[in-house]
Amino acid sequence: MKFTLQHTDQKTKARTGLLETDHGPIETPIFMPVGTAGTVKAVHQRELKEDINAQIILGNTYHLYLRPGLEVIQKAGGLHGFNSWDRPILTDSGGYQVYSLGDNRKITESGVRFKSHIDGSMHDFTPERVMDIQRVIGADIIMAFDECTPYPCDKKYAEDSMHMTHRWLKRCIQQFDTTDPLYGYSQTLFPIVQGSTYPDLRKQSAEFIAEQDREGNAIGGLSVGEPHEDMYAMTELVCDILPADKPRYLMGVGTPENILECIALGVDMFDCVMPTRNARNGMLFTSEGIINIKNEKWKEAYIPIDPALGGYVSTFYTRAYLRHLIMSKEILGAQICSIHNLSFYLWLVKEARVQIKAGNFDAWKTAMVKKVTTRL
Amino acid sequence: MKFTLQHTDQKTKARTGLLETDHGPIETPIFMPVGTAGTVKAVHQRELKEDINAQIILGNTYHLYLRPGLEVIQKAGGLHGFNSWDRPILTDSGGYQVYSLGDNRKITESGVRFKSHIDGSMHDFTPERVMDIQRVIGADIIMAFDECTPYPCDKKYAEDSMHMTHRWLKRCIQQFDTTDPLYGYSQTLFPIVQGSTYPDLRKQSAEFIAEQDREGNAIGGLSVGEPHEDMYAMTELVCDILPADKPRYLMGVGTPENILECIALGVDMFDCVMPTRNARNGMLFTSEGIINIKNEKWKEAYIPIDPALGGYVSTFYTRAYLRHLIMSKEILGAQICSIHNLSFYLWLVKEARVQIKAGNFDAWKTAMVKKVTTRL
């Protein structure tokens, strides 16, 4: 994997770059649609490419490991072969899912024992095992196995957890660096900064992560319920420590506003279920603001969803028709909203790249944050 | 509307024809995807055109009347304006839905009083009202308001009901012929033959319907649980009476086998929820037979769904991946199966047209019935 930093904004810490993988290039800043179980929910692979312009998608280690299972994926030639997506893929490590399991998991120094949400069976994830699993899934970018702390989190727990995440990282690196990719293309491992909302812990963690000198770095443990100010403060602190010549991935973030603000702090990569999850409930992000399509005011709105975006669904279907579909719980409603919202997120980061290159990012961001936080 | 009979098979009663509407041509025999609430479930309008090659779709009067309601549809310029489908549309009259409501409706000579399945509100459908509603919806082909009898049905009830359906038809015709279309293109009204599974009633009804001399005719009250032999016997009897120079529409039929057999009896138009409803449950119709994609045998089937069909979903996605999606209840699974099954149905009737024109329909049908009834 090769990362080339291309433009750096003068007024903010925003930057553009090019990340080159064996499955093709990724222009940064980028948003990565989430395809938890090997599918971006309600969206065809063709639509991801041609309508949404996705350059990379996510898969989820925990979910794919449980279903369809490693054997099915390996025999297909990895996740790319299994779901027929031939552009880059990133897999998260399962750390976040394990965190979400609550009482159904036990964390020890060795790793995590957890109970499947599908059939109640017991499984063990260790840093080594999670590397092996991600070798089988075969994503271009794989994530270290970490513990994602909740918010709020007392300092003692956050500190102990951070140190364990660091020890786990060393084990991940050891395992990753002594194994080979399975399908003839290379994989890279991103470590994850933790430390909850404690500046001194975040600093310590970021320095530790930077020292590992991997090809890219991630910031985890944010967007778990903390105030936006804390998210921004931690992100800025960490970005200032992580090396500038490597991509920075802020995990699980966020709203369009969050993304714009964090691009300004030096983040290059984002993922979030929000555009697809909210889509299925009829919430639309548009270039003029947020729409709750269930609102009575759209009942006779015979206008396109968001003509400024271009693209099939945003220009073809009317808000009135889409409202009808969502009110009627028709699957097509979820499909249209999902494609639209992802198209918007990819449009937003593309515009950000254009504005950074043009030296106009800061002013554009200010105007755009106002728009994307307006409720229409 | 203009119907031109083009080829008539020598060994069977199959025929090909061209039905011309103000929204474009329809080649017969044709299958019409069902879009109950103004959407063919889980399928984009673009996919209906470009992947499935649908020439006409159905809408449902009962459902559209209740939601989004007539005002929303009328202000959109009819259903075509509302759902952005610019090819022909046929609406059924609500007779079948009213039949399905069971205890939530009361049928009298005047019409039907029924309770909305959405909010419990009470509504009245009369033959006149149903014509007015279908003027507002604005389908190219609209259906008479009839009573669909259940199976089994005692003869007295079937006979009385048939006569009432005939009286309702006269009222439909009176209303239709004294009102104008609302959106600048023409509409045509198809009457419906009833008579349950009683040959003498079916004969009487078909003769009555034929006498009305409308531009096309429909056969209702079949595919409601009767043995296939009864369906075929009634269809044959009725087709032999209905005029040859007008299209014949067999409502709610059916399996691929049913469609092939009824094409051989002289039917030109079909609709059925089966390809989309079964799709959502993982049942696939293919050119080689029926697949239950949930079956363990497809777990590692890294082969396309049905390469013979061509088309995006049938050649792009593997059976193994599709099985995973359906097992995981992922929306994309329903989408893929729906597009595939409809593509298969449209492929089947296209092949039938080709074979009729080539004079090879009978032999092809025999071979194809064997295939489409095989469980893979």
Side-chain angles (χ1 to χ4, degrees), chain A residues 37 41 72 302 321 324 330, chain B residues 37-38 41 51 72 302 324 330:
Chain A
K41 288 186 197 302
V72 168
Y302 306 110
Y321 179 60
H324 164 64
E330 285 286 346
Chain B
K41 289 186 197 301
D51 297 306
V72 168
Y302 307 109
H324 164 65
E330 285 286 346

Side-chain angles (χ1 to χ4, degrees), chain B residues 232-272:
Chain B
Y232 299 149
M234 295 304 112
T235 298
E236 181 165 25
L237 185 160
V238 170
C239 282
D240 288 349
I241 296 169
L242 293 177
D245 61 347
K246 291 174 180 177
R248 301 172 187 138
Y249 163 31
L250 180 56
M251 303 179 78
V253 172
T255 65
E257 179 186 18
N258 294 158
I259 287 176
L260 292 173
E261 295 298 353
C262 293
I263 287 175
L265 301 174
V267 174
D268 307 297
M269 303 165 72
F270 300 88
D271 81 283
C272 191

